[in-house]
Amino acid sequence: MRATRSRIMTIATLLLVAAGLAGGLTALLLHATRDRGTSTAAPPSDRGGGQVDLASEVADYTSRFGPDHGYRQPGDADRTAIAEGVGLLLDGRRAQAERLLSGRDFTVRTILDRVSGHRYAEVADRTDASDAPRGWGRVYLDLEHRPRWSVQVPHPVADLHTEQLGVRVLRASPGGVLVIAGAHRKAGQGNSADVAHRQDTVFYAICAELVRRGLPGVQLHGMAASAAPGYDVVASTGAGTAGRPDGGLLADALGARGFRVCRAWVRDCPLEGQENMEGRAAEAARVPFLHVEFAPGVRAGGQAAERAASAVGAVTRRWATAPVTT
């Protein structure tokens, strides 16, 4: 009798211990779920995304760009859906974003940039590697921090090496979104692929979505060496004034790194970007926007490009910690 009672008590004790462990594990899982909230972090099944050198990835992407092919005019529904898909991704609603973007032949994947050690979501057009690419662009979004700012490359290849400068800027500060146009600026009929001067492009729609969320942006351009004699960089706030404090910080940071800067809000400079469409959208919302032209020697790579990206980083790091404006 005593032996039976002892066995019953032992079994009961083991069951209580097992129940306690199960309850503790459940609490930990619930706590972890609450902590994730609406973060843009990739789900566990996707966190082991491919390791790449982001600079090489972008170089391979843009190597196919040419002035005579590779662009198709998007429709209103295309632009709207792709911009909304990027917005959903910014909100951490990845499954919904993937469904919406897939309907427009865009993919989303997680990559680990082995140079910076950071994880990014890549939003890419499925037609990029086809014989007839649409040229609608690509987006890289920091998955480890809340999105706070953008770096925009409207004329990859045409403005030589600006796409690589964009990668350097993205790597330098947390919370960045890199938006790269999907074709050479002369690829379409007329100026249809010149995304800095048109509103009917996927590039503009995405940048406008970022502005709607209050994200400031810096747009990178390349000028000829003869365009601004005596200067390495032309820094401007485009058609607006909301970015002037940030423009001053940028110009000071560039000057401190040995670059000669023409400040468009102080004197007349060439290539001020007054007609830039993304800048106009930002100004209408009173969101800071910087339009920056770099001479060839600055963006060609090496130490000069590193110093330039570091100077831009003085602004993007401030944006990364500032509250969004909307």
Side-chain angles (χ1 to χ4, degrees):
M1 190 69 173
R2 289 179 179 174
T4 301
R5 186 181 297 114
S6 177
R7 283 196 296 272
I8 292 172
M9 291 179 66
T10 299
I11 292 170
T13 300
L14 291 173
L15 288 172
L16 286 171
V17 171
L21 290 172
L25 181 58
T26 300
L28 285 171
L29 289 172
L30 288 172
H31 179 71
T33 301
R34 284 196 301 270
D35 284 349
R36 268 198 300 272
T38 58
S39 166
T40 57
S45 62
D46 195 30
R47 290 191 66 83
Q51 291 193 28
V52 302
D53 177 342
L54 184 55
S56 297
E57 196 79 3
V58 169
D60 179 65
Y61 168 55
T62 59
S63 67
R64 298 182 288 274
F65 292 5
D68 301 320
H69 69 281
Y71 188 72
R72 186 196 315 169
Q73 189 76 32
D76 290 346
D78 296 316
R79 299 194 303 270
T80 299
I82 294 166
E84 287 181 358
V86 172
L88 288 168
L89 199 57
L90 292 169
D91 289 337
R93 299 160 67 183
R94 180 158 178 161
Q96 292 170 271
E98 288 180 344
R99 285 195 294 272
L100 184 57
L101 289 165
S102 180
R104 301 293 163 175
D105 274 338
F106 269 70
T107 63
V108 182
R109 67 164 179 154
T110 295
I111 62 168
L112 172 63
D113 176 30
R114 56 175 171 263
V115 174
S116 66
H118 298 156
R119 292 184 184 274
Y120 299 99
E122 177 192 79
V123 181
D125 188 340
R126 284 195 182 100
T127 73
D128 284 343
S130 71
D131 293 334
R134 299 179 297 188
W136 290 357
R138 186 171 289 195
V139 178
Y140 290 94
L141 186 153
D142 184 354
L143 285 174
E144 298 172 351
H145 305 87
R146 181 180 175 184
R148 293 285 191 174
W149 56 273
S150 74
V151 52
Q152 305 163 15
V153 182
H155 300 144
V157 178
D159 287 2
L160 196 60
H161 303 306
T162 51
E163 61 276 10
Q164 289 300 314
L165 189 56
V167 171
R168 292 175 189 265
V169 171
L170 180 67
R171 284 169 168 168
S173 303
V177 181
L178 171 60
V179 187
I180 307 176
H184 192 285
R185 68 186 299 178
K186 295 182 179 180
Q189 293 186 345
N191 75 334
S192 61
D194 186 356
V195 300
H197 298 102
R198 296 184 67 107
Q199 294 177 305
D200 56 351
T201 67
V202 171
F203 183 92
Y204 176 86
I206 292 171
C207 291
E209 177 67 17
L210 299 178
V211 163
R212 189 180 71 80
R213 293 161 178 273
L215 272 65
V218 54
Q219 193 170 106
L220 310 180
H221 292 260
M223 64 181 181
S226 59
Y231 294 106
D232 304 303
V233 184
V234 174
S236 170
T237 57
T241 59
R244 283 191 180 174
D246 299 306
L249 175 61
L250 173 62
D252 290 345
L254 286 163
R257 289 161 176 79
F259 297 113
R260 299 162 298 172
V261 185
C262 189
R263 305 174 186 229
W265 55 91
V266 174
R267 61 178 57 86
D268 288 336
C269 300
L271 305 169
E272 294 183 0
Q274 295 283 338
E275 305 300 319
N276 185 279
M277 291 295 106
E278 291 76 35
R280 291 189 171 190
E283 178 60 17
R286 298 300 296 166
V287 172
F289 174 84
L290 298 177
H291 180 281
V292 194
E293 296 272 357
F294 294 96
V298 179
R299 51 191 154 88
Q303 289 299 313
E306 286 291 347
R307 287 187 287 119
S310 173
V312 177
V315 177
T316 58
R317 283 189 296 274
R318 182 162 78 174
W319 287 345
T321 58
V324 293
T325 57
T326 60

